[in-house]
Amino acid sequence: MMNALWKQGWRPALVLILLFIVWETSVSMFDIPAWLLPSPTQIIEVGITDWPGYSHHVWATIQLIIVGFLIGSGTGIVVAIALHLVPFLRQATYPLIILSQNIPVIVLAPLLVVWFGFGMLPKIIVITLVCFFPIAIALLDGFRQTDRDLMHYMQMAGATRQQLFWKLEWPHALPSLFSGLKISATYSVMGAVISEWLGASRGIGYYMTLASSSYRTDRVFVAIIIIVALSLLFFLLINWLEKMTIRWRSSGEGGSSDAS
Amino acid sequence: MTHLEIQNISKSFGENEVLDQLNFSVHQGEFVSLLGPSGSGKSTLFGIIGGMILPNSGDVILNGESIKGKRGSISYTPQTPSLLPWRTILNNVLLGQELTGKKDREKALQMIDRAGLKSYENSYPHELSGGMKQRVSFIRSVLSPQSLILLDEPFSALDEFTRTDMQKWLLDMWEQTKRSILFVTHNIEEAVFLSDRVIILSPRPASVLKEFQVPFERPRREELLLSDEFLQFKKEIYQEMRHAQV
């Protein structure tokens, strides 16, 4: 496992290291001021020494992401199931849901602050809005792509609507659900940071705005690194959950459950 | 005793007449094959027997009761194995019981063993070969609570030798369980080798062209396939079908 990672990963890793070396040398060679572009070593130094000063911001953001992600994906799953089981609902709202995605959530955020203030609620709403869509669409597609032969067999065998759903459609859509969850996991980190920019008293987004308004570019970079790390962490967590849940997939060939 | 009776079934989709006054029956414990050219409307007929499609006229009687439009009255082995990829072999085999009856793990394990799939009960379908999957699919039907089994060209995707092996296996299983079987195929040899009775369907719109009582003794062996009587009988059916095509 680690071996395979190393075999495939050494090339991009090499490129990254080269990039950092170029960055580091150019900063010192051209004498670029730290407020404009700090060098990688400076950023790492600040990241370590400042940790006690910003760690509570990181925890606040993690909390927000988890709560927002759970509520957002829960809503996405419930909505997808409802739309799937009630065809009228789907026909009536599916086009509207697609259309609504042309509204960038970021432009709604100030409005949410006006309506709900600076507390948790508007932030959770922002994360819910960004999480909801990929999950609902992926899950609906998963339901719709249910294998026709399997469906035919289940019906011939006398399965009720409920049995069809829980024994066939739901497990069949799980791989799709997880691809939606993976997208939403990274979106929810973005949603959390954006909502903190707009008004918060803690969180990594708040730390970032503070840093940029006082020209502490090194701290802005620290914030960026933490956000990237959080995104990656959540993605890997969902990936791990997927591996734990979906053990039936053949690794070599893409079975019918591999669709989408 | 009559187990399943198809009474004057007609079905058309718009202008397209598929089944025309179809009549036949399957007796208790009998192995009957429906033999027809491709596209003779056998999937429509299975849809009607399975309760998925309503006929324009006629009735389907199972054990003296009409099952027209009633799903889940028969046990079904589809053309593709149709195993749920996320279930182990054991749980796949139990599916039929789970849907309409009670689960009996002991019996399921016993059947898996008898089908020569021992030690595979906890494997997933993608780990099995085509023939093995088809066996699992058939065991699922045998374990289902319904008494009559419909087999829809279950061996059509297998190679010649696997196919012969599977036919012998099926006969073996059938002789042990003595269930009534309605088997659809367009392979004459397969129909004759397996069945007590072969029913020939005409090209569209399908009706019963002729019925043949298969005279060969059971248990049947592979050697039978190459005997003169067998080939003679096969020829007779072939000519009958050829005749209807023109």
Side-chain angles (χ1 to χ4, degrees):
Chain A
M1 174 68 190
M2 279 316 281
N3 221 347
L5 198 73
W6 175 242
K7 259 184 191 155
Q8 290 197 334
W10 71 270
R11 276 166 279 231
L14 186 71
V15 172
L16 264 183
I17 289 166
L18 277 176
L19 193 81
F20 282 130
I21 291 171
V22 170
W23 181 354
E24 183 79 39
T25 45
S26 343
V27 166
S28 61
M29 240 167 67
F30 302 113
D31 225 0
I32 300 171
W35 60 267
L36 193 59
L37 183 67
S39 71
T41 43
Q42 278 173 309
I43 294 167
I44 291 166
E45 210 186 305
V46 172
I48 293 166
T49 53
D50 264 16
W51 171 251
Y54 67 78
S55 62
H56 69 282
H57 291 303
V58 177
W59 297 124
T61 303
I62 289 178
Q63 231 172 37
L64 181 62
I65 294 169
I66 291 175
V67 173
F69 178 73
L70 288 180
I71 295 177
S73 44
T75 316
I77 292 170
V78 169
V79 168
I81 292 175
L83 293 196
H84 174 66
L85 292 181
V86 188
F88 174 78
L89 262 181
R90 182 179 57 228
Q91 284 149 13
T93 59
Y94 189 80
L96 295 179
I97 291 177
I98 301 277
L99 265 181
S100 75
Q101 283 309 298
N102 290 312
I103 310 167
V105 176
I106 304 164
V107 306
L108 289 180
L111 208 55
L112 293 171
V113 171
V114 172
W115 289 338
F116 304 109
F118 293 102
M120 274 294 256
L121 185 63
K123 297 182 180 64
I124 286 172
I125 293 176
V126 167
I127 301 174
T128 303
L129 285 175
V130 291
C131 277
F132 155 83
F133 183 73
I135 291 173
I137 296 302
L139 192 53
L140 267 175
D141 277 352
F143 287 143
R144 229 190 26 211
Q145 283 164 357
T146 303
D147 192 278
R148 295 178 70 97
D149 285 344
L150 294 181
M151 188 58 126
H152 183 69
Y153 169 76
M154 293 288 278
Q155 288 175 335
M156 286 286 272
T160 60
R161 187 71 193 89
Q162 215 183 348
Q163 287 173 328
L164 275 182
F165 182 76
W166 287 116
K167 294 188 195 297
L168 177 61
E169 291 172 320
W170 174 254
H172 196 276
L174 276 182
S176 307
L177 172 64
F178 272 104
S179 53
L181 286 176
K182 276 187 244 176
I183 297 172
S184 291
T186 46
Y187 276 20
S188 64
V189 176
M190 182 195 73
V193 172
I194 288 173
S195 66
E196 283 170 352
W197 280 350
L198 292 159
S201 50
R202 61 208 178 109
I204 205 71
Y206 170 72
Y207 173 78
M208 206 175 172
T209 33
L210 268 189
S212 76
S213 58
S214 55
Y215 286 94
R216 288 298 301 266
T217 314
D218 46 357
R219 286 185 178 165
V220 175
F221 272 104
V222 169
I224 291 173
I225 291 170
I226 286 167
I227 291 164
V228 171
L230 282 181
S231 278
L232 205 65
L233 207 71
F234 273 92
F235 180 84
L236 289 176
L237 182 73
I238 303 291
N239 217 10
W240 177 78
L241 270 178
E242 181 182 24
K243 286 231 164 66
M244 295 283 93
T245 316
I246 303 169
R247 291 159 171 276
W248 67 81
R249 256 200 280 192
S250 52
S251 44
E253 60 185 296
S256 60
S257 57
D258 242 345
S260 109
Chain B
M1 211 179 70
T2 308
H3 197 169
L4 175 79
E5 200 170 357
I6 304 297
Q7 293 178 338
N8 292 313
I9 292 279
S10 295
K11 177 72 188 173
S12 50
F13 296 100
E15 292 286 283
N16 190 1
E17 246 187 290
V18 183
L19 304 174
D20 179 30
Q21 297 281 317
L22 203 59
N23 269 302
F24 68 87
S25 61
V26 179
H27 301 299
Q28 203 74 48
E30 194 184 24
F31 198 127
V32 175
S33 283
L34 281 179
L35 191 55
S38 316
S40 58
K42 53 119 187 140
S43 24
T44 308
L45 177 63
F46 270 20
I48 290 171
I49 299 174
M52 308 267 290
I53 303 171
L54 279 176
N56 295 110
S57 64
D59 208 347
V60 185
I61 310 287
L62 183 78
N63 290 326
E65 269 175 64
S66 171
I67 56 161
K68 198 165 72 172
K70 275 190 203 156
R71 286 181 189 175
S73 313
I74 44 87
S75 170
Y76 176 57
T77 307
Q79 197 165 356
T80 55
S82 301
L83 306 177
L84 302 183
W86 49 87
R87 286 185 174 227
T88 59
I89 296 312
L90 177 63
N91 283 327
N92 258 300
V93 157
L94 287 169
L95 180 66
Q97 296 184 341
E98 212 175 294
L99 293 176
T100 47
K102 262 205 190 125
K103 285 207 259 185
D104 185 348
R105 289 172 58 93
E106 280 307 302
K107 200 176 165 205
L109 284 169
Q110 208 184 325
M111 287 296 286
I112 291 175
D113 192 7
R114 250 199 277 167
L117 293 168
K118 198 178 170 63
S119 80
Y120 281 101
E121 63 266 16
N122 292 319
S123 304
Y124 287 96
H126 70 82
E127 298 167 81
L128 270 61
S129 71
M132 286 157 102
K133 280 190 228 178
Q134 204 53 267
R135 270 189 266 173
V136 174
S137 176
F138 180 69
I139 300 172
R140 178 175 62 185
S141 291
V142 173
L143 287 171
S144 296
Q146 300 91 345
S147 51
L148 186 109
I149 300 175
L150 283 185
L151 286 138
D152 184 1
E153 294 186 42
F155 309 142
S156 58
L158 303 175
D159 68 81
E160 188 76 19
F161 294 110
T162 315
R163 199 181 167 115
T164 312
D165 285 343
M166 288 293 291
Q167 288 165 353
K168 283 194 297 187
W169 177 82
L170 175 62
L171 278 183
D172 213 43
M173 295 296 277
W174 173 72
E175 269 149 23
Q176 288 177 40
T177 56
K178 278 295 168 194
R179 303 279 285 271
S180 320
I181 289 184
L182 180 59
F183 189 94
V184 166
T185 177
H186 40 242
N187 185 321
I188 300 176
E189 190 177 279
E190 181 169 87
V192 175
F193 182 61
L194 294 174
S195 321
D196 297 316
R197 204 146 48 89
V198 177
I199 296 168
I200 316 281
L201 295 180
S202 66
R204 272 191 186 200
S207 56
V208 175
L209 208 62
K210 203 168 176 179
E211 274 191 37
F212 288 89
Q213 195 74 39
V214 181
F216 307 113
E217 250 176 49
R218 292 189 190 272
R220 293 184 186 153
R221 304 187 190 289
E222 205 175 332
E223 295 86 77
L224 177 69
L225 288 168
L226 297 169
S227 69
D228 286 338
E229 309 92 280
F230 188 87
L231 295 173
Q232 186 58 41
F233 194 72
K234 191 175 149 187
K235 195 171 151 194
E236 217 175 296
I237 294 180
Y238 179 82
Q239 280 164 346
E240 189 69 41
M241 289 179 77
R242 198 75 198 144
H243 196 65
Q245 292 273 329
V246 200

